[in-house]
């Protein structure tokens, strides 16, 4: 009976304070974030210590959790800084992180010494592919392990049966896939000197490659797996929203969404759609099955690279790659998030240009969507504007309908 099964946690990425708040409002049970150092998304905006404390306090005020990444492959020179970092996080008091996400055994040891009261989750970077690995980390005091992306549902089901009941399994169910085993990639460092294992990945797996023959420098020969192109490392994005029952039956405790470098529109889209799918499945599996086409329609309104089920149903084939381009499919453009109201006009920070008269959509945390027209745009001095061409400008807009804080504005692209 579903009523006897614990509903899995929905874990959403927060690349900055805006997306953390968006994740919380749009349905996340927990958010994972990174500071300026020691996480594996150095190109994300990330959080200062002040922003991190504010973000955690915000999430806690809604009864949600926040996990902080410290999952770099640490070198000697990193260790003392990591020790100080953990002490600073602990000093947040009631608004300290609910867990630290760690991959390195040395960093794990420091966390156990400095902040034993904070739970430790073992990052997917630690190559967690079998139940003995889970048992190993459980004996050392970890409360959760993030499974390697290379595991099938069958393997996860066996793993669940072989580990203590209180040991939690966290699994990526949506977002970008990595070409390297458990994300431990050397391409970026080799080509650019930016180490993916220290958080500075340049996504070199998305680049186009050719062969150069030794005696013919400058003559580029295409690498053709077939006639469609040469993006040989370019995986489709993971999407498991049509397989919630299978994920639940495998015993996964936390459904993790990838995307700490994505916009608030992406975060809101995936959070509210997965929230709806999970809740409807636990309410009535028949409703969930009937609504699968709607879930997919909604999830495609975010930014993605076509979808795959990754390793869940067996090893990926050539059909799980994209060979002719490396760009995202973009159905909608993010225009801004409502931050306040003044004299009937709604305040937002402009993310992309739009004009008076444009047809836009308002997406709301409850899953509803409103289509409306932009009636009028004012700058922060009250002057009329026919369009708002300046990114990050604070503007005030009449959308001809009542809106609420955290509503997100998007425009459909042809």
């Amino acid at each position: 009976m579903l009523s006897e099964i614990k509903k899995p946690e929905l874990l959403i990425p927060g690349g900055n304070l805006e997306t953390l708040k968006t994740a919380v409002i749009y349905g996340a049970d927990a958010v994972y974030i990174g500071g300026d150092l020691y996480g594996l998304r150095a190109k994300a905006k990330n959080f200062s210590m002040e922003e991190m404390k504010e973000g955690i306090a915000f999430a806690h005020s809604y009864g949600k959790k926040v996990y902080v990444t410290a999952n770099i492959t640490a070198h000697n020179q990193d260790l003392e800084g990591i020790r100080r970092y953990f002490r600073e996080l602990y000093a947040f008091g009631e608004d300290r992180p609910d867990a630290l996400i760690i991959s390195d055994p040395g960093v794990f040891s420091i966390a156990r010494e400095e902040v034993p009261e904070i739970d430790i989750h073992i990052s997917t970077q630690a190559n967690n592919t079998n139940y003995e690995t889970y048992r190993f980390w459980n004996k050392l005091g970890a409360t959760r392990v993030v499974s390697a992306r290379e595991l099938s549902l069958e393997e996860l089901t066996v793993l669940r049966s072989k580990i203590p009941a209180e040991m939690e399994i966290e699994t990526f169910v949506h977002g970008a896939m990595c070409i390297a085993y458990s994300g431990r990639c050397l391409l970026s460092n080799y080509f650019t000197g930016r180490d993916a294992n220290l958080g500075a990945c340049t996504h070199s797996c998305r680049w186009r490659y050719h062969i150069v023959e030794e005696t013919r420098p400058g003559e580029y020969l295409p690498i053709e797996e077939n006639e469609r192109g040469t993006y040989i490392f370019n995986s489709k994005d993971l999407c498991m929203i049509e397989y919630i029952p299978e994920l639940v039956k495998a015993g996964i405790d936390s459904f993790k969404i990838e995307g700490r470098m994505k916009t608030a529109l992406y975060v809101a889209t995936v959070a509210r759609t997965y929230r709806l799918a999970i809740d409807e499945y636990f309410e009535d599996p028949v409703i969930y099955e009937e609504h699968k086409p709607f879930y997919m329609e909604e999830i495609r309104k975010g930014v993605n690279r076509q979808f795959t089920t990754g390793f869940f149903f067996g090893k990926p084939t050539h059909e799980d790659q994209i060979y002719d381009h490396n760009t995202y499919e973009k159905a909608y453009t993010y225009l801004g998030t409502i931050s306040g109201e003044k004299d009937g006009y709604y305040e937002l920070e402009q993310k992309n240009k739009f004009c008076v008269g444009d047809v836009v959509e308002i997406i709301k945390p409850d899953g509803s969507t409103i289509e409306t027209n932009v009636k009028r745009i004012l700058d922060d001095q009250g002057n009329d504007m026919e369009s708002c061409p300046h990114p990050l400008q604070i503007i005030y807009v009449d959308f001809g309908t009542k809106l609420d804080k955290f509503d997100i504005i998007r425009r459909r692209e042809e």
Side-chain angles (χ1 to χ4, degrees), residues 245-292:
E246 289 84 350
L247 295 168
V248 170
K249 290 172 185 174
I252 297 167
D253 298 282
S254 180
F255 291 0
K256 188 171 193 174
I257 308 293
E258 182 275 339
R260 279 198 289 132
M261 294 172 64
K262 302 289 181 64
T263 67
L265 176 59
Y266 169 88
V267 167
T269 300
V270 294
R272 75 173 192 159
T273 309
Y274 271 87
R275 177 79 279 149
L276 180 64
I278 293 167
D279 290 349
E280 289 192 335
Y281 172 65
F282 275 81
E283 177 187 345
D284 186 343
V286 174
I287 294 176
Y288 167 81
E289 290 295 330
E290 290 175 348
H291 288 179
K292 275 185 181 180

Side-chain angles (χ1 to χ4, degrees), residues 1 75 79 88 105 158 169 180 200 206 219 241 257 299 331 340:
M1 294 290 292
H75 290 250
L79 298 182
E88 290 178 28
V158 172
I169 301 173
R206 308 294 178 185
E219 184 175 338
I241 201 164
I257 308 293
I299 215 74

Side-chain angles (χ1 to χ4, degrees), residues 164-274:
E166 70 275 8
M167 187 71 179
E168 295 180 338
I169 301 173
E170 180 182 306
T171 300
F172 282 97
V173 301
H174 190 93
M177 297 287 283
C178 184
I179 197 66
Y181 201 89
S182 290
R184 300 171 73 91
C185 184
L186 298 176
L187 276 180
S188 177
N189 200 20
Y190 178 78
F191 285 128
T192 70
R194 294 171 60 171
D195 193 340
N197 299 307
L198 292 176
C201 181
T202 56
H203 300 282
S204 38
C205 56
R206 308 294 178 185
W207 299 352
R208 188 167 188 165
Y209 290 91
H210 292 78
I211 294 174
V212 177
E213 200 274 323
E214 183 179 9
T215 63
R216 290 183 284 177
E219 184 175 338
Y220 298 100
L221 308 174
I223 305 169
E224 294 188 1
E225 291 198 355
N226 58 35
E227 70 279 8
R228 291 177 292 183
T230 61
Y231 293 95
I232 57 172
F233 302 136
N234 191 29
S235 173
K236 295 179 180 179
D237 283 357
L238 180 65
C239 178
M240 289 292 288
I241 201 164
E242 294 183 296
Y243 302 98
I244 300 296
E246 289 84 350
L247 295 168
V248 170
K249 290 172 185 174
I252 297 167
D253 298 282
S254 180
F255 291 0
K256 188 171 193 174
I257 308 293
E258 182 275 339
R260 279 198 289 132
M261 294 172 64
K262 302 289 181 64
T263 67
L265 176 59
Y266 169 88
V267 167
T269 300
V270 294
R272 75 173 192 159
T273 309
Y274 271 87

Side-chain angles (χ1 to χ4, degrees), residues 45-56:
K45 292 181 180 178
N46 292 318
F47 290 73
S48 66
M49 297 303 282
E50 294 76 16
E51 290 171 330
M52 194 176 292
K53 186 173 183 179
E54 179 184 344
I56 297 172

Side-chain angles (χ1 to χ4, degrees), residues 60-81:
H60 285 176
S61 73
Y62 283 85
K64 311 300 183 181
K65 296 180 178 180
V66 176
Y67 311 140
V68 172
T69 60
N71 57 341
I72 65 166
T73 302
H75 290 250
N76 290 335
Q77 65 267 23
D78 300 313
L79 298 182
E80 285 308 310

Side-chain angles (χ1 to χ4, degrees), residues 366-378:
D366 65 3
S368 62
T369 302
I370 300 170
E371 185 176 284
T372 188
N373 292 86
V374 178
K375 307 296 183 186
R376 192 179 181 189
I377 304 174
L378 304 177

Side-chain angles (χ1 to χ4, degrees), residues 225-226 228 234 236 315-323:
E225 291 198 355
N226 58 35
R228 291 177 292 183
N234 191 29
K236 295 179 180 179
K315 292 183 179 180
T317 69
H318 65 281
E319 294 182 352
D320 296 282
Q321 298 291 114
I322 305 170
Y323 297 97

